[in-house]
Structure formats: C-alpha cells, structure tokens
Amino acid sequence: MWIRKILWGLPFCLVGWGWAEENPSWDNVQKEVTKTLILEEKSLLSWQAELREKQDRSREEEMFFLSLSLRAKKTDDALQAMENMPAFSQSPFLEVWGYLHFAKSCRNYRVIRALCERFPLEAAQSGSDLGSTEYFGDVMETWSETRKAQWLHERFLQTESKEEVKNLFSITPSSFWGERWLEQLYSMGAWLPTLERFRKEAIASREYEDFIWYLRCVWQFRFQPEFAKGQRDWEWLKELPDWSLATQNSGIASQFWTLEEYELAIPYYRKALKLEITEEEVKTHLTKLVSAMMPAEKLVALYHAEIYQRLAECYQKLDKKTEAQEAMLQNRKICEAFGLLPNAWFAGATQAFTGQRVVEQEILQKEEKNENSPAYWLERADYYRGRKERHLEKEALEKGLALCEPEKMVKTIVREKVPHLDIRNDWTSYRRQFLWYLTKLLFDENQHEVATKLLLDEMQRFPHGETGKSAARIFACDFPRFILEKNDIFWDWLDAQEKWEHTEERLVGALLRRFPPPKRPEAMERMEKMALKPDASATRCAILGWVENRMGEPQRSIPLLETARQRAKEQNDPQTWETASVTLFESYLDIGDWQNAEKIFPDTMPRLTYEEQPQWLRRVADCAEKEGYADDAKRIWRRLKNVTLCWEE
C-alpha cells in the first residue's frame, strides 16, 4: 500500500473559508482598479507603492493591492497580499478562478503555481486547464519531463485523503493532481505501469475510494489503443469485497456505464436496488439529485427510478429485450406511485426496441379521461417520438395544439398532479411547446410549406403574445432559410413589437440577409423607417444599428446608433444607451474615426469587463496609428501602460 501523507501546512494559506457577502467581489475590485487607471485618475506604480506602505490594510485594500501588484509585475507583493487576505468574499472556487485567470493574463506563473498548490480543489472546479502545467510557464519550462512528473506526484501525495472523497461526483484535490500527473506520465509513455499500480492498490486496500479512483483513471485513458474497450481484463474484480452501501454500488455501476462496460454495470445497479438507503446516504448523495427540497421517501424513489432507467438502457445495449422491458416498467411504476414525472420518450424508445406496446395501451386508455389535458397530449407525443412513429407523434401534437386556444384554455386549464416539465399554469406555455415540437417535426419531414404557414399564422394571430414571439424565434433562430423576406407578416410583426430584444434582433438580421446584395439597401431603408418612427423605442435603432454594423455597413449604422443613444436618454433606458454606445464605438473604429471612438470610449466602459476595457482602448491606439496619427497612438499607449505593465508595445 501507499503511504498517504496529509500535508496541509502549505505556505500562504488563507485564514477563513466563509462567504462574506458584505465584502467586495474580485470582479468589482478589478473593474474599479481598471477604470481608475485607464482614466489616469491614479498612477499604477505610485498607487501600488502607496498601498504597500500602508499598515493594516482592509480586505478591499488587500484586493486592490493584489490587483495592482500583478499589473505592476510585483510578484512578492502579490503573494504577500494573498497571504494577508482574511477571507473569501464569494464562493472560494469563483474567487480562485478570478485570481488564476488574472494571473494568467499577467503571465505571472509563480502566482499561478502557488494558487494551484494551495487550492487544487478550487483550481479544478474553476477550470482544470488553468491548473495544468501548461500555464506554469517559465517556472517549469526548464524542468525535465521526469521532474515535472515528480512534482505532480508530490502534489498528489500531499492531497490524497480518503476523507476528501465524499461521493462519485465530487472533484477532490487528490483527483485533480492525480489526473495532471497521469497526463504527464502519458506524455512520457509511462502511464500503463502507474495504472497497473493503482489497480493493485485497489485490490490490496479493498477500499471503495481506491477502486473508484482506479476506474476514473481508466476512464481518462479509455480511448488509448493500449487500453481500449474489449482489451481490458476485469477478472480481478472477484478479489474485491461486496460494497455495503447502495450508493457505493450505483457509483461503481455508473463508472462502468461511462466505460461502456454494461455487462459489469448491471450487477452493481441490481445490488444498489436491493440495499436499504441509509439516512446518511440520503443527506450526502440523494439530495444532489434535485435542486428543490423533496421528502426523503420521494428522493429514494427518484434514485431507484433513475437506476431502473439506466438498467433498461444497459439491457438495450446488450440486446436483452425482456430485461429492458421489465426495467422500464419498474421505472414507470415508481414514477406513478410517487408522483414523479414519467419519461415517456424513454418508454417509447424501450418499447420500440422490445417490440411491445404495453405502455402505449396504458396511454390510450387514459385518453377518454384526459382528452382535454395538454400534459396528456405532450406525454403521448413524447412516447411516439421515442418510438420514432412520426405520424402518431404528429397526430398527438396537432390535437394538443388545437386544445391550446385562449378561449378554450384560460378558464379550463388546471395544473396537473404531475406537471409536464416546468409548465406554468397558462395556455401560452403549453402552446409554445406544441408549436415547437410540431414545426420541428414538419421541417424534419420536409413539409416546409405546412410548417411555414403554421408559424406565420401564429405570428399573425398573436402579434403581441408569447406564442407569436415563439413562432418568430423559431424562424429566426432555427429555420432562417425559410423566412419569406417579401412576406408582410414578418415586417408587420416586427412593427407590432413595442421593444426589440434578442428575438427581434435575430429576425431583423435573418430577414435582411434573405435579400440579395443588390436589393439589400432598399430593404435596410424600409427597416430604418420602421426604427426611426417618432414614437418608437430606442431599442429599435440600437438593434438595427448593431445588425447593420455586423452586415458590413458601419457608416450606415452610425445615425441609427446616435439616435438610439439620444432616445435612450429621453426614455430613461440606460441599458440601451450603453449597448448602443458600444456598437457606435465599433462603427467609428470600422470607418477609421478613432477621434470619435476615443471620445465615447468612457461611455462603453459599463458594458465591458475589466479585461475588455484596455483591449478596446488598444483598438483606438491601433486605429490612430493606422490612420497616421503616431503621436496620438503613443499617448493612448501611455494610458494603457498605466493599466498594466504586462503588455508589450
């Protein structure tokens, strides 16, 4: 067995792991620092020196000091700021991600390495690529491959603790560093002996965590020819003990499922169903199955229902029809008994595989009682979708859509005991779903004219309603090639919308692109008249200006965007004013007008991240230099140097 070393006395550990809501977030601090520096309200070096000399800095000041030290390439000061910080201001992995991300942008590999050594779990949760050796840069580039592997192995030993592994789905410091170590060994061609060592350790220790760790490692290299499916020897599983917890067995089964070892997964799933769930398992495992509060009895039922679904899928993969049918029926039985949402698609797919229609008969028998229930017709359509019987799915969707008329539905719809998905208690929610599934089916079946007419009718009947907007969204986002650019329904629908938002933006762009280039200016002019109506929302000009900019018409977009900014102020719409400012800034740069771009740059800052702000000002400098204004370009570059010394001119 390995000697496990629990060495948590790493340097620079932060004191306190709580979430202090009243403390400033790293993102907000970074925005404030960037704004102050980019507007030259303070000097980077003098501000950093001022904070370094200050005693008893507050947490906010430590964060300012950390940001400034990284920007000024003062690595020792940055590490000292992290050591002094008393607590996380937000969830630990988010804050560590912020530190890692910014340290990477500053190319400060010492800080990256220190963060990954101290907070491997948070580094893993925030993005494993930021914690890999690739970003340790010059700290490790002179090391040999063996030295890198040794260093990663040391991190693995320092963090390997069985108390860390709470369940199959958690990421732990040991697994994080272990995977990095295996990646390094693979690059050296030395991973197979290490994997074999893990296997022997799992047999010798006879402990669940060691076995799970081995299976995770197998998954990491599952595509390698030396260890491909069908070439693995699993006879040694007989040497392992019987696991006493249900969640241990289902956890192992899930690992075999991911490895496509379905024959091996089945016995573990079966045993998980036989074992009684402990109260501790409910607290530590089953509560993670759902986001809402649920009684323990119902959680256990949900857990068992999901296992039966996985079993049915395993049996399908192994071409065992009787067993697949039995597992699927057990799944439905549990769902019905505990008021859980049955997976009709899964039932249909299973019955299509087994050739049986038991569930179909159950659904058909419920029709008389539920003929006016939208949820019933959605379930029925889902079932036939699983069976891939499109004509019966279409029939169910058409009946459900016909039900969802406002005059029929407003007074009659009640929330079913088992709601379908997350449907609200109103007719539009049902109708949107029927509309989407039905039009998708029609387009898939090449019934383009029928689908197009269905959507156009919806836009015409409900120009101010949610279902009309859903129809427009389907056209714009999913099937733009079927937009009829000369059909007035599209134009009338856009003109009927008080505000233009994402759906309108997509439709405006798709509609204009449907015109051939010679006809496009005329179409743009028609759209501009609609946007520039005296009483129109500022969002119209902002959206159309953005679309024209993206269609290669920056000069044409400028009057629209200037109007959008003016109207947004009059209409007290700061969000539209900010978005229009950003697009106008881009249009100025696109035509080479760097002077106006620099003038409105402060207006764009609220909509930009702290990383984007200097990047966008850099575009002004590049544009000024391109246009022959070298002195102005140097002046702007001096402003950028005040933001960070990590950029090179």
Side-chain angles (χ1 to χ4, degrees):
M1 288 183 64
W2 294 17
I3 300 176
R4 290 178 167 78
K5 303 176 183 178
I6 314 301
L7 302 176
W8 288 102
L10 298 176
F12 309 121
C13 285
L14 299 186
V15 180
W17 289 70
W19 185 338
E21 287 244 8
E22 68 277 4
N23 289 332
S25 72
W26 173 249
D27 188 61
N28 288 337
V29 164
Q30 285 283 63
K31 284 182 178 179
E32 183 63 28
V33 170
T34 303
K35 178 183 175 183
T36 302
L37 295 174
I38 209 167
L39 297 179
E40 297 185 297
E41 296 173 359
K42 287 189 176 184
S43 161
L44 169 59
L45 293 176
S46 62
W47 192 8
Q48 195 271 344
E50 174 190 332
L51 285 176
R52 185 177 60 237
E53 297 302 320
K54 184 174 181 180
Q55 301 295 321
D56 300 323
R57 291 185 293 264
S58 67
R59 188 184 192 288
E60 183 178 26
E61 288 172 332
E62 288 293 0
M63 295 179 81
F64 275 101
F65 187 46
L66 172 59
S67 176
L68 292 166
S69 298
L70 285 168
R71 295 165 188 261
K73 297 184 177 181
K74 306 286 187 180
T75 301
D76 291 339
D77 288 342
L79 292 171
Q80 186 65 43
M82 287 191 292
E83 180 183 4
N84 293 342
M85 226 171 287
F88 286 113
S89 64
Q90 49 188 293
S91 59
F93 87 89
L94 280 177
E95 189 154 327
V96 171
W97 179 87
Y99 298 153
L100 277 168
H101 190 71
F102 190 62
K104 175 191 169 187
S105 69
C106 294
R107 303 184 184 90
N108 196 316
Y109 302 113
R110 282 182 60 196
V111 173
I112 292 174
R113 175 178 166 183
L115 282 165
C116 289
E117 286 191 81
R118 291 161 49 199
F119 307 115
L121 176 57
E122 286 72 26
Q125 290 176 324
S126 63
S128 60
D129 62 325
L130 288 172
S132 69
T133 55
E134 176 186 351
Y135 294 113
F136 295 154
D138 54 6
V139 176
M140 297 182 71
E141 64 184 8
T142 59
W143 290 4
S144 66
E145 296 299 304
T146 302
R147 176 70 184 94
K148 290 179 184 179
Q150 180 185 353
W151 182 80
L152 290 166
H153 187 206
E154 290 169 358
R155 305 285 81 68
F156 174 72
L157 291 178
Q158 287 173 346
T159 55
E160 191 186 15
S161 168
K162 292 178 182 175
E163 288 74 27
E164 300 283 342
V165 184
K166 299 298 183 186
N167 59 65
L168 172 66
F169 307 103
S170 64
I171 303 173
T172 67
S174 60
S175 66
F176 171 73
W177 288 114
E179 288 175 8
R180 304 289 83 72
W181 175 37
L182 286 173
E183 288 171 0
Q184 178 63 28
L185 291 176
Y186 177 74
S187 68
M188 299 165 58
W191 63 278
L192 269 174
T194 303
L195 203 58
E196 176 63 13
R197 186 179 184 181
F198 287 151
R199 186 184 72 84
K200 291 179 179 178
E201 167 66 12
I203 295 174
S205 70
R206 299 173 63 81
E207 295 189 17
Y208 171 73
E209 289 80 6
D210 290 331
F211 185 35
I212 282 290
W213 169 242
Y214 171 75
L215 293 179
R216 283 176 170 171
C217 296
V218 171
W219 183 86
Q220 188 166 348
F221 296 108
R222 65 196 182 283
F223 296 124
Q224 304 309 321
E226 304 95 326
F227 205 65
K229 181 189 173 187
Q231 298 183 26
R232 308 168 191 152
D233 176 18
W234 297 105
E235 284 296 318
W236 58 274
L237 293 177
K238 298 175 183 177
E239 302 179 46
L240 296 176
D242 291 332
W243 312 110
S244 59
L245 297 178
T247 51
Q248 288 179 328
N249 284 274
S250 60
I252 293 169
S254 295
Q255 284 292 306
F256 280 129
W257 165 268
T258 62
L259 293 169
E260 300 183 13
E261 297 283 2
Y262 306 112
E263 196 78 62
L264 296 174
I266 289 172
Y268 288 103
Y269 277 134
R270 285 291 184 190
K271 186 170 182 184
L273 290 169
K274 292 179 181 178
L275 292 171
E276 185 176 350
I277 302 288
T278 66
E279 184 177 343
E280 183 64 22
E281 287 179 285
V282 172
K283 291 180 180 178
T284 58
H285 292 69
L286 304 195
T287 52
K288 297 182 180 181
L289 296 176
V290 291
S291 57
M293 294 293 292
M294 187 179 287
E297 184 183 38
K298 201 167 185 177
L299 275 174
V300 174
L302 178 62
Y303 171 69
H304 287 157
E306 291 192 355
I307 289 180
Y308 274 119
Q309 180 169 331
R310 276 294 179 89
L311 272 173
E313 293 167 351
C314 285
Y315 286 128
Q316 287 187 53
K317 296 289 186 180
L318 298 171
D319 199 27
K320 295 184 177 182
K321 296 183 178 180
T322 302
E323 292 86 346
Q325 174 76 1
E326 178 190 348
M328 181 272 296
L329 292 176
Q330 287 294 329
N331 169 276
R332 287 185 65 82
K333 183 178 178 181
I334 292 173
C335 290
E336 184 176 348
F338 289 89
L340 301 171
L341 177 65
N343 189 332
W345 181 92
F346 158 66
T350 305
Q351 297 239 281
F353 167 72
T354 63
Q356 299 188 37
R357 292 185 175 270
V358 176
V359 175
E360 180 183 27
Q361 293 305 312
E362 292 178 3
I363 292 174
L364 294 176
Q365 288 171 7
K366 296 177 182 177
E367 179 178 349
E368 184 176 354
K369 181 180 178 181
N370 298 281
E371 60 181 350
N372 293 320
S373 167
Y376 167 77
W377 292 105
L378 279 172
E379 180 184 7
R380 183 159 163 171
D382 282 347
Y383 173 81
Y384 286 122
R385 189 177 305 114
R387 292 193 69 97
K388 298 184 179 179
E389 295 180 350
R390 308 305 295 274
H391 64 292
L392 293 174
E393 178 192 353
K394 179 173 177 286
E395 181 182 300
L397 291 170
E398 288 174 338
K399 288 185 177 180
L401 184 63
L403 260 182
C404 295
E405 294 288 342
E407 60 272 14
K408 295 180 181 179
M409 300 294 292
V410 170
K411 295 182 180 179
T412 59
I413 283 187
V414 293
R415 193 175 182 88
E416 284 81 358
K417 181 181 178 182
V418 183
H420 187 87
L421 301 178
D422 188 22
I423 300 175
R424 298 192 310 271
N425 189 19
D426 67 279
W427 69 275
T428 59
S429 299
Y430 289 98
R431 189 174 180 87
R432 286 201 305 268
Q433 289 198 74
F434 284 118
L435 191 67
W436 161 246
Y437 285 123
L438 182 54
T439 52
K440 185 177 185 304
L441 184 150
L442 291 169
F443 279 123
D444 289 347
E445 295 291 312
N446 294 320
Q447 299 182 46
H448 304 152
E449 291 185 7
V450 179
T452 299
K453 184 178 184 305
L454 180 64
L455 293 175
L456 286 173
D457 288 347
E458 198 73 18
M459 293 172 66
Q460 197 168 30
R461 285 186 63 197
F462 306 107
H464 302 289
E466 285 298 315
T467 61
K469 177 163 278 196
S470 291
R473 187 181 302 114
I474 292 170
F475 266 127
C477 300
D478 301 293
F479 303 103
R481 69 183 185 279
F482 295 109
I483 289 176
L484 307 172
E485 64 275 11
K486 296 182 180 180
N487 192 311
D488 286 338
I489 292 177
F490 292 101
W491 297 85
D492 292 343
W493 184 86
L494 283 168
D495 201 20
Q497 308 312 303
E498 182 179 352
K499 285 188 174 183
W500 285 5
E501 298 171 322
H502 179 67
T503 297
E504 290 79 6
E505 173 193 299
R506 295 292 296 268
L507 184 58
V508 167
L511 190 59
L512 292 177
R513 288 184 178 88
R514 291 290 296 167
F515 287 90
K519 296 287 185 181
R520 202 167 286 168
E522 183 181 343
M524 286 183 174
E525 184 178 350
R526 180 181 177 183
M527 195 72 74
E528 287 163 359
K529 289 179 180 178
M530 189 188 303
L532 291 167
K533 285 184 175 181
D535 58 345
S537 166
T539 57
R540 291 192 178 191
C541 287
I543 291 292
L544 183 55
W546 184 89
V547 170
E548 289 186 349
N549 175 280
R550 293 310 188 263
M551 293 180 71
E553 295 284 351
Q555 186 71 62
R556 187 171 193 132
S557 73
I558 289 174
L560 285 166
L561 295 165
E562 290 174 339
T563 302
R565 277 164 48 94
Q566 178 184 345
R567 288 185 176 180
K569 279 190 175 182
E570 295 169 355
Q571 297 168 7
N572 193 24
D573 186 354
Q575 182 175 351
T576 299
W577 184 85
E578 290 171 2
T579 55
S581 298
V582 169
T583 311
L584 182 59
F585 174 86
E586 292 183 291
S587 290
Y588 281 142
L589 286 182
D590 289 340
I591 66 171
D593 187 355
W594 66 269
Q595 295 94 335
N596 271 321
E598 184 182 14
K599 183 179 178 181
I600 71 163
F601 173 73
D603 298 342
T604 70
M605 294 180 70
R607 301 295 291 180
L608 303 177
T609 67
Y610 68 83
E611 292 176 305
E612 291 172 331
Q613 289 169 357
Q615 291 170 359
W616 282 48
L617 186 58
R618 184 177 187 173
R619 292 169 62 186
V620 178
D622 291 341
C623 184
E625 187 173 9
K626 182 180 178 181
E627 296 295 321
Y629 294 83
D631 291 340
D632 288 290
K634 290 179 180 178
R635 172 179 57 79
I636 297 170
W637 266 108
R638 283 195 295 272
R639 290 176 63 186
L640 288 167
K641 277 293 186 182
N642 193 48
V643 177
T644 175
L645 300 181
C646 300
W647 274 2
E648 298 178 0
E649 291 194 44

